[in-house]
Amino acid sequence: WIWNVCKMGDCVKTKRFLMQNFLLRHRFAVTFFAGICIGTGYANIAYRYQAALPEIYNQHYLSAYADITMNYYALWKYIIRYRFRDLLLIGMMGLTAFRRYLITVYIVYLGICAGMLVSTSVMYYGLAGIGLYLASVVPQYILYGTALYFLYQMFYVHHLTGKNVLMIAAIAVILVGAGTYTEAYCNPLILKKLYGYLY
């Protein structure tokens, strides 16, 4: 079909159609990746002109995981408040007429943060910094990202029944709840072992 259209002189239109279709099908990933590019660009410009950059991955930050005894339950309660606040914010976005635009801006913001953190980590540790960043977001951000993906897709589906909306919301709450637990109890142990490996 594509070949026949191209023979008719409509190659440009066909390519434009395929690109638009790809962007629509993968809009979540494309939106997040765009944010990463912006965040990475900003971090590199800031580093070049010696502007302030996040110091979350410096040696002092990591050494805290090895030197202090953590109250995991208190940390979990703090993370629950923080993460469910974001989930409530997303839910409020979904009630507005501009929900698609708002959630898109929110995902771009998350991508910008991720891009800045990855770049900062690489500045401190070279290519090993990519592994450090991944270790700092595993496994909780897999769960958070899945919840966000379901909510994001829900905003683009027309005529969802109330039952489907409640089901997606319940899944998102469960995923975020599981993510807070892993962030409080699992991720600090991963970073503690990683600090021992690096230093």
Side-chain angles (χ1 to χ4, degrees):
W1 174 78
I2 295 175
W3 174 250
N4 290 333
V5 173
C6 287
K7 288 199 305 182
M8 295 169 57
D10 290 334
C11 283
V12 174
K13 293 182 179 179
T14 302
K15 290 178 181 179
R16 187 182 299 118
F17 169 78
L18 293 175
M19 179 59 69
Q20 290 174 348
N21 189 46
F22 174 84
L23 294 176
L24 286 174
R25 290 177 58 188
H26 303 283
R27 53 182 172 257
F28 181 86
V30 171
T31 302
F32 185 70
F33 183 73
I36 290 177
C37 292
I38 296 171
T40 301
Y42 171 80
N44 282 276
I45 293 172
Y47 178 77
R48 180 176 180 180
Y49 292 98
Q50 299 181 343
L53 280 171
E55 298 184 355
I56 189 171
Y57 290 122
N58 60 20
Q59 184 176 357
H60 176 72
Y61 168 80
L62 289 177
S63 65
Y65 286 93
D67 297 337
I68 65 174
T69 300
M70 301 187 67
N71 185 334
Y72 293 103
Y73 181 68
L75 177 61
W76 189 26
K77 290 195 297 184
Y78 170 78
I79 292 172
I80 286 175
R81 290 196 300 269
Y82 185 77
R83 300 304 181 193
F84 276 94
R85 182 199 66 184
D86 287 352
L87 185 62
L88 180 62
L89 175 64
I90 295 172
M92 293 173 63
M93 291 179 186
L95 298 176
T96 69
F98 307 102
R99 56 185 176 272
R100 294 185 182 181
Y101 304 103
L102 293 174
I103 191 66
T104 298
V105 170
Y106 181 74
I107 292 174
V108 170
Y109 164 75
L110 294 179
I112 291 172
C113 293
M116 289 181 60
L117 291 176
V118 170
S119 297
T120 303
S121 183
V122 170
M123 290 172 191
Y124 281 122
Y125 302 99
L127 290 178
I130 298 175
L132 174 60
Y133 172 77
L134 293 176
S136 68
V137 299
V138 171
Q140 67 271 20
Y141 275 87
I142 297 174
L143 298 168
Y144 296 150
T146 304
L148 184 60
Y149 176 78
F150 281 132
L151 294 172
Y152 182 78
Q153 294 299 330
M154 182 179 71
F155 292 158
Y156 280 86
V157 177
H158 298 284
H159 308 301
L160 279 177
T161 64
K163 182 179 180 180
N164 289 334
V165 171
L166 289 176
M167 184 178 298
I168 293 173
I171 292 172
V173 169
I174 292 171
L175 288 171
V176 172
T180 61
Y181 183 85
T182 59
E183 186 173 3
Y185 287 92
C186 300
N187 190 252
L189 297 177
I190 294 174
L191 289 176
K192 186 174 183 177
K193 291 182 178 180
L194 183 63
Y195 175 79
Y197 175 77
L198 290 174
Y199 297 101

